[in-house]
Amino acid sequence: MTGKILLVDDEPDILKTVQKLLWVNGYETDIATDGKEALEKIFGNPPLLIVLDIMMPNVNGYQVCRAVRENPDTQSIPIIMLTAKAQNFDKFWGEEVGATIYLTKPFDNKELINIISEQLGKTN
Amino acid sequence: MNRKIEKKSILVIEEDAPVRNLIIRHLSGAGYETSGVAHANDAFRAVAKAPPDIIICDVVLNDMDGFDVCRRLRTFPDTALTPVLMVSPGGDDKERQEARMVGAQAFLVRPFRKQSLLEHIRTLLSVGKTELINSSITDQDEETQFIEFVEEKNIPKSQILENAFAEVYEEMATLYDLSGILYTLDNEHTLLEEILNRSLQAVNAKAGAIFTVENIDMSDFDSAGDTRLSQNNPVLRVGKGFPLQKWMGYKIPLDTCAAGWVWKNKQFFLSPDISLDERALSFKEYPWESASVLAVPICSGNSILGVIVLANKKGRAAFNQSNAKLLKAFATHLFFALENIRFLEAVKETETRVKQKVEERTAVIEQSRSVVSRLNDILEKKLYELSCMKELQMAVASLFDPLEIFHEAMRILNKVLGIYGAVAIVPEKHAFLLEGNKSASTVFWNHLIEEARKNVPRDEGVTIENWEKLTTGLSEGDCCDESELRYFNMPVYIQNRFVLSFAMGRPAAAEMTDDENSLITMFAHQFGLYMDGALLFMKTKELDQMKSEFISVASHELRTPMASIKSALSLFADELLGPLNEEQKEYITLLERNVNRLATLISDVLDFSRIESGRIQLELEKHDVSLLINDVARILKQQFEERNDTIIIDIQGDDLQTRCDYDKITQVLINLTANAINHNTDNTQIGIGAKKVDKDIQFWVIDDGCGIPESEQEKIYDKFYQIHSNKGGGGSKGTGLGLAITKGLVEAHGSKLLLESEVGKGTRFSFDLESADAPKWKAEKTQSWNLIGLGVTAEQYGDRLKLSLKGRFEEMVCADMSKIGKEIIDNWGVFVVVELSGLEYIVSRGIGYIMELRSLVHKAGGNLVVLDVSDNVRKILEPMGILKIIPSHTDLATAFREVGCATG
């Protein structure tokens, strides 16, 4: 498996724990702390998978997601939305803009790992 | 003197041949020898040839006036005394007078009845000279006396006749005078006095008296009969010349005097000297001094009313037969006059009684009329007040903006009471200096505002203290220089709380009446109520907004750190950060368990807040009931097994479909089932089931556990309430929000959570959901958005919306605002689109409409799309949690995608 998983969140603590979790499970990661930085990294060097927060400064998660889906080079990258927005409507909207999986915080480590491995398995 | 056997001859002088012939026929028929002439001259000739016994003469003749004829006849010796009957078509008083003057004895008005003609003739024959002669023939004694008298005096025969004529004529005249006056008198006493005086005069008597029965009972009047008055002895009514004063008013003693004799015998009593009269021997008051007495009954036929008694002391002329005859005629006249007068009196009395009754009734009616009119006034006043209040209510009930309410109130006050302008000042945080009716802006208004601004700088806000300052300034009286204005300051209290103060003015010329004062007090109070409501609404709105902001912030802010903690702990627990010893592991597990609990708690609290604030959003779609229930059972399988409980799934009917939010209803059933597991002992039987009830699907969760005591059944829905668990030691692990959330979720579906429970027997929770069998819900997922379009009018809104959404939705309806309500919800949709103008209309109609819209949106699953939106509308709707605003979008399809509604 080549390439990295991009973690996008404005919350450093989340970034740190998830990065550790993925590293322990054998995944390489990259991080971005807002939507703008994320888009730069995605379009610069498309990752294998994106774990995306929604509520972020500058460009939010929905916008990132829509931009990824609109670009032919990146539109097939699995996007896991990992967000504190837990209402049905948020979830519905997330899926609508193109999220592959919508996961609410707080999340279960094992579930996240399972989903990631499943998604990466699929794309492979 | 054998004229008696001769036929009486009558001459008729009548120009008009038919009348003449008629008279002749009548009289001939009655046995008179009658001849007729047409002209006066013929008449004179006829009279000269054979003087008739009676002459009938028309007043109007061709060649001569009837009166002149009569006058002329009187100059002929043969006809000087012949009775003349004048016939006239007129018969007024003047003619009668003249007829008497020329010597006619009778007067007959033409046309006349045969009977009356004959009567006249008979009368003339009986009272005329012939009558005198006849009577002397019948009364032999008198005749003898008369002849003796004549012979004694040696009076020539012609002289006798002249005297006789004079006497008869005098009698006639007397009677004629009497009859002229009798019927003009309406007083009985006057009548009696008049009769007495005339009687005395007529017969040249000195003393006299009249006795009559006192009253004629009107009831007797109809049943005429000879006994009708005989029970009553007459009493003395008038008297003259007798010392009778002591007898006045007393009844006549029947056997004491001549009057009693007459009363008893109904015959006249004539005595030349009563002291010598045998009849008087029986009188108790005998002996009388020597006097002549004449007494006649006042009678007609057998009816007798009284007696007239006349007396002349010795030395005066004694009464004779002719006196008696005259007096009898008087008495007859008196009889009828009395009856007449008494009848009239009776009639008058009845009339008076009737009049009195009528007056009494009229008074009563007047009185009740005035009461009714007073009541009417009161009613009218009350109605007016009511109508004013109603107008105010109509105008402001749907408003929630204090300023608008105030303006409406001003408009009505201006209309009803001519109020020029006003200010209302509301204390506390929401202090307004509301401006009055600007269109009626007057000197008053400027002054008031000036005054208000002077005392209370606007940007400082108005408090009760400085409002008092302001009103002090206002109540100084002459509130402006140029115009005489009066104003009123009306502080309004609601439940002892100062709500607002209200000052208004109008021209001083129009004084405030009491009615107006009461009206204005009522008005101010009503106004205060509405104002209070509006202010409360504003405050509530602010609070609601704060609350929803909190939920939104808390949701994100609590979850984010929780995520880091949970994830990091998990790294430890899974020994991904290095191996842990047993003790470390134990504590990390403890930490993890509590973090999980905290996460559940936060989630529950937020869910609950959302339900409470009405922000719960439902995704209503068609679901298979069987799948739904089996999912629940599968999720809880492990828990059932741990507690050794039995689960019974009971789905009655095939292919049950319901329309609901899958996650929410799953959560409801899980909560209820988990409660049944957790709150009962091991080995409990727990059933989950569903069946069709009418148009709905009923879901239930039932257990045969310990049951819920009645006293606790209400409380279990309370927030953070924990029922005492039957399991020793462990205690329940819930947050105490589970049932409150469950109930909220069921209610969000427009249903109701029902509980039946009995201690020791078990518990049954149930709720109904809409069945999805109805064909209108045939749309599949993501295309199931049925649509309600709301505009001010359907026409205004319909075409544009239909055009832009054509083909995107299964069904669509456009409705106007007036159709908001159950009907639409029942028949249509889950998704509400409101055009801006429609929404602003709703907002402008006030809180009631907004609530209606809110409930509509709520039922539709919480989705409201507003195309474009003004700040005003946003401010009002956002805090109520019913608005998903898509600003400035003109393309509806994009708008729908924005809110996650896939379209076609």
Side-chain angles (χ1 to χ4, degrees), chain A residues 42-60:
Chain A
I42 291 164
F43 293 135
N45 183 17
L48 287 173
L49 183 144
I50 305 165
V51 176
L52 183 61
D53 187 22
I54 292 173
M55 302 292 280
M56 291 180 298
N58 299 329
V59 179
N60 69 31

Side-chain angles (χ1 to χ4, degrees), chain B residues 92 107 180 228 414 434 479 710 747 778 790 798 874-875:
Chain B
D92 58 21
F107 195 88
R228 87 177 174 193
N414 181 254
L434 297 173
C479 82
E710 212 167 307
E747 280 166 7
K778 61 194 169 201
L790 295 171
R874 183 194 297 266
K875 250 192 314 195

Side-chain angles (χ1 to χ4, degrees), chain A residues 104-118:
Chain A
T104 53
K105 294 174 182 174
F107 58 94
D108 190 84
N109 280 358
K110 287 190 186 98
E111 195 182 357
L112 181 61
I113 290 299
N114 286 344
I115 286 167
I116 287 173
S117 71
E118 194 182 310

Side-chain angles (χ1 to χ4, degrees), chain B residues 785-815:
Chain B
W785 301 99
N786 286 310
L787 186 72
I788 302 173
L790 295 171
V792 176
T793 64
E795 292 76 23
Q796 179 193 336
Y797 186 52
D799 291 344
R800 191 167 80 97
L801 193 69
K802 272 180 183 159
L803 205 66
S804 50
L805 295 173
K806 203 176 173 193
R808 294 178 196 277
F809 297 92
E810 288 279 315
E811 290 179 76
M812 185 171 88
V813 64
C814 293

Side-chain angles (χ1 to χ4, degrees), chain B residues 674-862:
Chain B
N675 275 347
I677 296 168
N678 292 332
H679 291 286
N680 289 310
T681 51
D682 292 356
N683 301 315
T684 305
Q685 272 199 2
I686 295 168
I688 310 175
K691 67 174 174 190
K692 198 152 183 232
V693 178
D694 293 333
K695 283 181 183 169
D696 294 334
I697 306 278
Q698 186 180 80
F699 288 81
W700 67 85
V701 173
I702 188 168
D703 65 59
D704 62 351
C706 53
I708 303 167
E710 212 167 307
S711 60
E712 300 211 37
Q713 287 186 6
E714 279 299 312
K715 294 188 218 153
I716 58 169
Y717 300 115
D718 291 354
K719 290 173 245 181
F720 305 109
Y721 180 82
Q722 301 253 0
I723 197 165
H724 301 295
S725 177
N726 282 334
K727 294 183 183 121
S732 60
K733 286 183 208 149
T735 56
L737 285 170
L739 265 178
I741 291 168
T742 303
K743 183 168 174 260
L745 290 175
V746 169
E747 280 166 7
H749 278 77
S751 181
K752 205 170 173 211
L753 187 61
L754 299 173
L755 164 65
E756 300 154 71
S757 186
E758 201 176 321
V759 174
K761 290 207 167 165
T763 304
R764 184 182 193 269
F765 281 99
S766 64
F767 58 92
D768 292 350
L769 291 181
E770 189 185 347
S771 167
D773 293 348
K776 65 188 171 209
W777 302 122
K778 61 194 169 201
E780 290 302 315
K781 187 176 164 76
T782 73
Q783 292 200 347
S784 65
W785 301 99
N786 286 310
L787 186 72
I788 302 173
L790 295 171
V792 176
T793 64
E795 292 76 23
Q796 179 193 336
Y797 186 52
D799 291 344
R800 191 167 80 97
L801 193 69
K802 272 180 183 159
L803 205 66
S804 50
L805 295 173
K806 203 176 173 193
R808 294 178 196 277
F809 297 92
E810 288 279 315
E811 290 179 76
M812 185 171 88
V813 64
C814 293
D816 62 43
M817 293 315 300
S818 62
K819 296 233 177 86
I820 272 195
K822 198 171 176 320
E823 202 186 330
I824 279 188
I825 297 165
D826 285 353
N827 293 311
W828 296 95
V830 292
F831 203 84
V832 183
V833 178
V834 182
E835 193 199 31
L836 179 61
S837 61
L839 194 64
E840 286 198 322
Y841 178 75
I842 297 173
V843 169
S844 75
R845 293 304 297 273
I847 187 71
Y849 272 73
I850 292 175
M851 287 308 183
E852 195 97 49
L853 177 66
R854 176 178 165 164
S855 111
L856 177 62
V857 171
H858 194 67
K859 286 211 168 189

Side-chain angles (χ1 to χ4, degrees), chain A residues 83-104:
Chain A
T83 174
K85 285 172 79 70
Q87 284 173 255
N88 275 343
F89 204 81
D90 303 321
K91 186 178 170 186
F92 190 90
W93 203 353
E95 287 173 0
E96 186 56 31
V97 296
T100 318
I101 297 291
Y102 193 94
L103 206 56
T104 53

Side-chain angles (χ1 to χ4, degrees), chain B residues 216-224 228 339-340 342-343:
Chain B
I216 297 177
D217 187 347
M218 285 307 292
S219 64
D220 287 343
F221 214 79
D222 296 329
S223 56
R228 87 177 174 193
E339 286 213 329
N340 184 44
R342 286 181 171 182
F343 178 74

Side-chain angles (χ1 to χ4, degrees), chain A residues 8-10 32-43 50-68 70 81 97:
Chain A
V8 188
D9 207 314
D10 59 341
T33 53
D34 64 41
K36 206 168 160 249
E37 190 188 345
L39 284 175
E40 281 165 8
K41 291 198 168 170
I42 291 164
F43 293 135
I50 305 165
V51 176
L52 183 61
D53 187 22
I54 292 173
M55 302 292 280
M56 291 180 298
N58 299 329
V59 179
N60 69 31
Y62 292 130
Q63 289 164 311
V64 171
C65 193
R66 194 180 288 136
V68 169
E70 278 166 5
M81 276 202 171
V97 296

